[in-house]
Amino acid sequence: MSAQIAIIGTGTIGASWATHYLARGFDVVATDPAPGAEAALRSYVDAAWDAASTLGVVPGASRDRLRFTADLREAVADAVFVQENAPERPQLKVKLLAEIDDAAPVESIIASSSSAITMSVMQAECRRPERTVIGHPFNPPHVIPLVEVVGGERTAPETIERAMVFYASIGKKPVRLRKELPGHVANRLQAALYREVVHLIDQGVLGVADADDAVSWGPGLRWGVMGPSLLWHLGGGEGGIQHFMDTLMGPMAAMWPALGNPQVTPELEHKIVEGVVAEANGRSIDDLAAERDAMLIALEGVRARYQP
Ligand SMILES: NC(=O)c1ccc[n+]([C@@H]2O[C@H](COP(=O)([O-])OP(=O)(O)OC[C@H]3O[C@@H](n4cnc5c(N)ncnc54)[C@H](O)[C@@H]3O)[C@@H](O)[C@H]2O)c1
C-alpha cells in the first residue's frame, strides 16, 4: 500500500493541501465535520487539478485516491503524515491535536497549518508532542511552494528534520524557523509591508489601486524571483552588498522611524474596501484567483528553468 496522508479540516487550506498531496501521488484520507464538506472538497480538487498538475503531477497520481470519512480517528489511523487545517482557535487545536496524537501511528508526523498559534501551545495535551510540528503553508498550498517549519518546546529536532525533508520531497520550499514566534515569518513580513501601504493610503499619498501597482509592478516583481538581501547585493552595483551597506543602508535605516503606524478606523477600512472593489472592476473573486494562479504557475515555471 502506498503512503497515506491525512487531511484534517477541508476548508480553504485543507482542500488545497489535499489537491497538492494527491497530485504528488499520495493516497489522501480527509475529514471535516461540516455538512457538505466531502462534496465541497471534491469540487475544489476538480477545479484545482489542472493547476496542481501543471506544477508537477507524478505518475500514478489520481483524484480517485481521495477518500473522505467523518471519523477523525479513522482518517489518521494509517497516515504517515497528518496535515491539520482546522479553524484557528487555540482550544480547538489543543484538543484536536491530542486526539490526532492518540489515534495516529506512533511513527507518523503531525503537522499543523496554523498561521498564528505556536506549536508549544497546541502540543500541550499530546502524549507524543515530540512528533508535532508547524507546517505553515502560504495560500494556496497547491500553488505556492513556501512552507514554514517550526517546532514547539517539546518537538524533537528529528521531527523538524523529517518534516523539512518530506516537504522538499513533494515539491515544497520549506523554510525552517529557528525559534517559534506569533505569526511565524511570512505573515509578519506581509504585515510589515501592509502597514506602510495602509499608512500611504490613509495619508492620501496613493489610492488603493496605485498603492497595489507600486508594490506589484516594482519591488513585488523583483521579490518574485529573489529575496530582498540578495537584491541589495545587486543594488550595490560593482561593490555588491558591502557597497550597499556603506552607502545605502544608512539612508534606508534612517527612514524606519518615519514609517507609518496607521490607526485602522472604520473610515479607513471603508476607503480600502471601496478602492479594492473599484480595482477589481467587476471581476469575481474566482476570476481573480484563477488569473493569479495562472500567472504564479507561469512564474514558477520560469523560476524552475533558471534555478532547477
Ligand atoms: N486561509 C489562509 O490563507 C491560511 C493560510 C495559511 C494557513 N492557514 C491556517 O489553516 C487553518 C485552516 O484555515 P482555513 O482558512 O482553511 O479555515 P476554514 O474555515 O476555511 O476551514 C476550516 C475547516 O475546518 C473544519 N473544522 C471545524 N472543526 C473541525 C474539527 N474539529 N476537526 C476538523 N476540521 C474541523 C471546518 O468545517 C472547516 O471546513 C488555520 O489554522 C489557518 O490559520 C490559513
Side-chain angles (χ1 to χ4, degrees), residues 117-132:
I117 310 168
T118 59
M119 186 44 80
S120 292
V121 169
M122 284 187 283
Q123 67 189 182
E125 292 181 13
C126 290
R127 282 193 292 143
R128 296 184 196 83
E130 64 279 1
R131 42 86 166 254
T132 60

Side-chain angles (χ1 to χ4, degrees), residues 2 4 13-15 33 36 55 71 141 149 178 183 188 191 232 241 283 289:
S2 60
Q4 199 170 96
I13 289 301
L55 284 168
D71 183 341
V149 176
R178 299 196 189 122
R188 294 173 74 99
W232 293 140
I241 188 67
R283 292 170 295 173

Side-chain angles (χ1 to χ4, degrees), residues 8-9 11-13 32-34 85-88 93 113-115 136-137 139:
I8 311 304
T12 306
I13 289 301
D32 190 302
N85 321 277
E88 190 72 349
K93 298 265 200 198
S113 297
S114 175
S115 301
H136 176 245
N139 190 35

Side-chain angles (χ1 to χ4, degrees), residues 226-277:
M226 282 183 196
S229 299
L230 188 57
L231 284 165
W232 293 140
H233 192 37
L234 311 183
E238 291 287 301
I241 188 67
Q242 187 57 58
H243 186 66
F244 172 84
M245 288 299 163
D246 295 342
T247 58
L248 299 171
M249 188 65 186
M252 173 171 296
M255 256 195 262
W256 289 342
L259 293 178
N261 198 6
Q263 290 299 309
V264 183
T265 61
E267 293 72 32
L268 181 54
E269 286 183 1
H270 181 69
K271 193 172 176 181
I272 295 171
V273 170
E274 269 195 327
V276 169
V277 170

Side-chain angles (χ1 to χ4, degrees), residues 7-15 17 31-35 37 72 84-89 92-93 96 99-100 112-117 122 135-141 184 187:
I7 296 288
I8 311 304
T10 58
T12 306
I13 289 301
W17 265 128
T31 189
D32 190 302
L72 173 78
E84 175 278 313
N85 321 277
E88 190 72 349
R89 296 204 296 272
L92 183 151
K93 298 265 200 198
L96 187 58
E99 199 178 347
I100 294 170
S112 173
S113 297
S114 175
S115 301
I117 310 168
M122 284 187 283
H136 176 245
F138 220 55
N139 190 35
H184 316 312
N187 279 332

Side-chain angles (χ1 to χ4, degrees), residues 34-283:
E38 178 175 5
L41 170 61
R42 290 191 186 279
S43 101
Y44 183 97
V45 172
D46 285 344
W49 192 251
D50 280 351
S53 306
T54 310
L55 284 168
V57 74
V58 305
S62 169
R63 284 171 276 182
D64 297 341
R65 292 170 64 186
L66 172 63
R67 192 157 65 80
F68 189 93
T69 170
D71 183 341
L72 173 78
R73 300 185 74 88
E74 186 191 324
V76 302
D78 295 315
V80 295
F81 196 92
V82 179
Q83 187 80 47
E84 175 278 313
N85 321 277
E88 190 72 349
R89 296 204 296 272
Q91 271 321 302
L92 183 151
K93 298 265 200 198
V94 170
K95 297 287 173 216
L96 187 58
L97 255 68
E99 199 178 347
I100 294 170
D101 177 43
D102 199 46
V106 289
E107 67 281 3
S108 62
I109 288 183
I110 301 169
S112 173
S113 297
S114 175
S115 301
I117 310 168
T118 59
M119 186 44 80
S120 292
V121 169
M122 284 187 283
Q123 67 189 182
E125 292 181 13
C126 290
R127 282 193 292 143
R128 296 184 196 83
E130 64 279 1
R131 42 86 166 254
T132 60
V133 65
I134 295 278
H136 176 245
F138 220 55
N139 190 35
H142 72 277
V143 176
I144 304 272
L146 178 68
V147 184
E148 298 176 79
V149 176
V150 58
E153 283 159 16
R154 295 193 291 153
T155 302
E158 307 83 76
T159 301
I160 297 173
E161 274 312 315
R162 283 174 61 206
M164 292 289 294
V165 169
F166 173 72
Y167 282 129
S169 76
I170 59 161
K172 306 302 290 181
K173 180 75 185 171
V175 171
R176 178 180 184 163
L177 277 55
R178 299 196 189 122
K179 295 177 182 177
E180 60 179 354
L181 75 176
H184 316 312
V185 167
N187 279 332
R188 294 173 74 99
L189 297 174
Q190 293 201 113
L193 179 70
Y194 201 56
R195 180 168 73 176
E196 187 62 16
V197 167
V198 170
H199 171 69
L200 294 171
I201 294 168
D202 186 37
Q203 294 298 304
V205 177
L206 290 171
V208 172
D210 286 341
D212 275 356
D213 284 346
V215 175
S216 73
W217 286 97
L221 271 182
R222 296 200 315 207
W223 291 330
V225 297
M226 282 183 196
S229 299
L230 188 57
L231 284 165
W232 293 140
H233 192 37
L234 311 183
E238 291 287 301
I241 188 67
Q242 187 57 58
H243 186 66
F244 172 84
M245 288 299 163
D246 295 342
T247 58
L248 299 171
M249 188 65 186
M252 173 171 296
M255 256 195 262
W256 289 342
L259 293 178
N261 198 6
Q263 290 299 309
V264 183
T265 61
E267 293 72 32
L268 181 54
E269 286 183 1
H270 181 69
K271 193 172 176 181
I272 295 171
V273 170
E274 269 195 327
V276 169
V277 170
E279 189 183 355
N281 195 22
R283 292 170 295 173

